[in-house]
Amino acid sequence: MPEMNIVQAVNSALLEEMQRDDRVILLGEDIGKNGGVFRCTEGLFEEFGPDRVIDTPLAESGIIGASIGMAFYGLRPVPEIQFLDFIYPAFDQIVSEAAKFRYRSGGEYPCQITIRSPYGGGIKGGHYHSQSTETYFAHTPGLKVVIPSAPYDTKGLLLSSIRDPDPVLFLEPKRIYRAGREEVPEGEFTIPLGEAKVVREGADVSIFAYGAMISQCTGAAEQAEEVGISCEVVDLRTLVPLDIDAVLDSVRKTGRVVIVYEATKFLGYGAEIAAILAEKAIESLEAPILRVAGLDTPFPYTHENLYLPDAGRILDAVEKVYSF
Amino acid sequence: MTKLLRVVSPDGKYKEKDEPPLSEEELLKMYRYMMLTRALDTRGMALQRQGRIGFYVPSSGEEAVQIGSSFPLEPRDWIVPAYREQGAALLRGIPMAGIMAQLYGNEEDTAKGRQMPNHFTSRAAHFVPTSSPVGTQIPIAVGLGWAARIRGDNVVALGYFGDGATSQGDFHAAMNFAGLFQANTVFVCKNNQWAISVPFGNQTGTNEVAIKAQAYGFEGVRVDGNDVLAVYQASKEAIDKARFGGGPTLIEAVTYRMGPHTSSDDPTRYRDEAEVEKWRKKDPIVRFQRYLKEKGIWNEEMEVEIRQEAEAQVEEAVVRAEKRGLPSPATLFDDVYAEMPWHIKEAKEAFLEYLEKS
Ligand SMILES: Cc1ncc(C[n+]2csc(CCOP(=O)(O)OP(=O)(O)O)c2C)c(N)n1
Ligand SMILES: [Mg+2]
């Protein structure tokens, strides 16, 4: 089996799906000859030509709106938004249109598009190349939100997303695009949406996270182990729909919860998990639920490392809930 | 095609009747600022390559557009920039030390190290904070110019953007508002032929930008963006017109991005070196130098002096920036709101407590 990093896993998924299904087409800024600013579409323009790998004008609303129309016509567009921070000209097309077509047509106009976009901090990108604003989208009924944390999952989840009958926002943790390689199958292979993955089993504290935060969480879990705290790290992988069973199973086992995300803490995805646990698992909880998240400020440049959750801050929270 | 305005030909020749009425001193000031911008860009890229700053956006090749268009502005006017306007920032009076502090994101940066390099801002210089999203600044330039009109002030807002930005909805919304409300706004499109890897020919079905103004009911002009005097002339007319109630103008300055898009970009992946070479021969600084020589107000000695002076100014700012520390972490929580709400206060306390402990 070949070893791949996340960029290569994205590329491999796109290549194979385009070979398998000629309805799949890509649209985006700089994705053609340049292969994407992160090189996720490298070689695809040469392979499939300018009708299937389209360098668009600089207009996100155009990219997404046109993708929706193409989907109605029977194509399977996989548009790329260069950075999640630049998706807002298309916000209307995504939340008012793509997300609602199935519903407002009584099911007659499903909208099968998969929007890929790199998200998150850690690359010294300042306000607009760093944000983690998945919650705006997860808050919109009709839209699925998927965030992988490793190459293997990236490929399996991207293939499932492209084949999913609903619009999917597929967010790629750019900070770990090239962080490590692992074996990724070639050929037919999918991971179902809506299934979390326990990346590390533990008995004392459940840590829920996704994307680039997973490696920070496993790092914290290793350090916790040394002081005798056993952490379970659950990679949610799909934010919508959430794998509620995986979350409840883990909490029933540990009774203590830390939720980690790099978005702004206030009203971030962790707020929803905490609310769900308060509704469905209050009898299992043995400590307050803590969130370790980005600061409640815009994303900074010089001090991005202080803004972003790291293993130290996660460990601090783990110790707090453990010793409560 | 809208006629391309030009005052100085690439070899430095000109007709006296086309020359704008600028004094020798003013001409040399323009030249100095173009040289200063080039010196900053050369050093900025080097600093990034050496890992001393995190990122840089060079504007090489676009000095004539920046200096020519902002030169006629008065202090009460406004600039609403994109991220490639360091020359205009300098001319507006942001000191080199301030530019460098921003590039380093250090404690002397007036924006407290919050934005990535090249995102300059200055209230005093009426240089509106730079943003990365392409095109968002254009309606803001309209708002400034429109407000001036509503208040009856002879104040102008000048908005910069690239050729790529003309594809955004915000560009069209801005143009429509400006035309309808006759805002005191001048739009300067720096058509540098590329939007990262996308050539201008793949950006729009029209083969120029200027013509788009027609659809919004005002004038669009095309100017040789590597001819600082042509840019100055067109901008001066547009600025005067906007100032005295004549409404907006769209200026398309035809120029070239000689360097990479940013320090993260590798243009050899998507454009031919031959094309770059062709444009390098049209270098706006060289053209202006030839003109000044033709006029007899330039010589080798002066050239050396101007270059050394520019480099020294940059060097001095680098030395200063490297001596400064980072902004204090506590400042991260300032300026989110005028008054800090409880949840940010709590976050700040927890954050400082954690920093102390770790
Ligand atoms: C809304 C938005 N989409 C995408 C980007 C990424 N991006 C940054 S600059 C750029 C190209 C801009 O081209 P142009 O407007 O011609 O300006 P230039 O860089 O040539 O000065 C792109 C696509 C962005 N910053 N904002
Ligand atoms: Mg451009």
Side-chain angles (χ1 to χ4, degrees), chain A residues 29-30 58 60 82 86 89, chain B residues 83-84 132-134 162-165 168 192 194-196 261:
Chain A
E29 294 158 9
D30 307 289
L58 208 172
E60 288 75 11
Q82 200 165 86
F86 302 138
Chain B
Y83 43 73
R84 212 185 290 282
S132 315
V134 166
D163 43 303
Q168 287 285 21
N192 62 7
W194 291 92
I196 309 186
H261 171 66

Side-chain angles (χ1 to χ4, degrees), chain A residues 84-85 88 118-121 126-127 129-137 147 171 173-174 210-213 239 260-265 267-269 294 299 307-309:
Chain A
L84 180 59
D85 313 72
Y88 301 104
Y119 87 98
H127 297 329
H129 301 80
S130 310
Q131 297 170 91
S132 187
T133 54
E134 60 279 3
T135 307
Y136 292 155
F137 302 94
I147 307 186
L171 299 179
K174 67 171 101 72
Y210 46 89
M213 285 296 108
L239 303 198
V260 181
Y261 51 102
E262 56 182 289
T264 294
K265 182 178 177 189
L267 266 180
Y269 193 73
F299 196 102
Y307 177 97
L308 289 166

Side-chain angles (χ1 to χ4, degrees), chain A residues 15-31:
Chain A
L15 173 72
E16 286 175 20
E17 197 62 357
M18 291 180 80
Q19 282 166 340
R20 195 185 70 87
D21 182 349
D22 70 5
R23 295 170 304 174
V24 175
I25 71 161
L26 313 183
L27 304 86
E29 294 158 9
D30 307 289
I31 65 165

Side-chain angles (χ1 to χ4, degrees), chain B residues 162-191:
Chain B
D163 43 303
T166 65
S167 295
Q168 287 285 21
D170 272 1
F171 166 75
H172 297 275
M175 297 282 287
N176 190 42
F177 272 53
L180 179 62
F181 298 111
Q182 291 291 293
N184 295 7
T185 300
V186 175
F187 300 98
V188 178
C189 177
K190 293 166 71 195
N191 184 352

Side-chain angles (χ1 to χ4, degrees), chain A residues 124-126 299-304, chain B residues 54-55 103 105 113-117:
Chain A
K124 277 263 163 207
F299 196 102
Y301 174 69
T302 295
H303 286 309
E304 76 167 337
Chain B
F55 180 75
L103 297 178
R114 290 177 186 148
Q115 283 241 69
M116 81 197 293

Side-chain angles (χ1 to χ4, degrees), chain A residues 207-289:
Chain A
I207 306 178
F208 299 116
Y210 46 89
M213 285 296 108
I214 294 297
S215 58
Q216 306 298 318
C217 294
T218 50
E222 276 159 30
Q223 293 175 34
E225 192 82 74
E226 286 166 22
V227 292
I229 310 173
S230 160
C231 293
E232 176 147 300
V233 179
V234 180
D235 180 354
L236 299 174
R237 301 198 296 192
T238 304
L239 303 198
V240 185
L242 170 66
D243 185 350
I244 183 70
D245 294 336
V247 172
L248 292 176
D249 285 350
S250 184
V251 174
R252 289 195 183 112
K253 189 162 73 172
T254 63
R256 295 168 200 276
V257 178
V258 172
I259 309 160
V260 181
Y261 51 102
E262 56 182 289
T264 294
K265 182 178 177 189
F266 192 85
L267 266 180
Y269 193 73
E272 185 60 33
I273 298 185
I276 289 174
L277 290 176
E279 286 168 359
K280 293 184 191 282
I282 193 87
E283 69 288 348
S284 303
L285 291 175
E286 289 171 46
I289 298 168

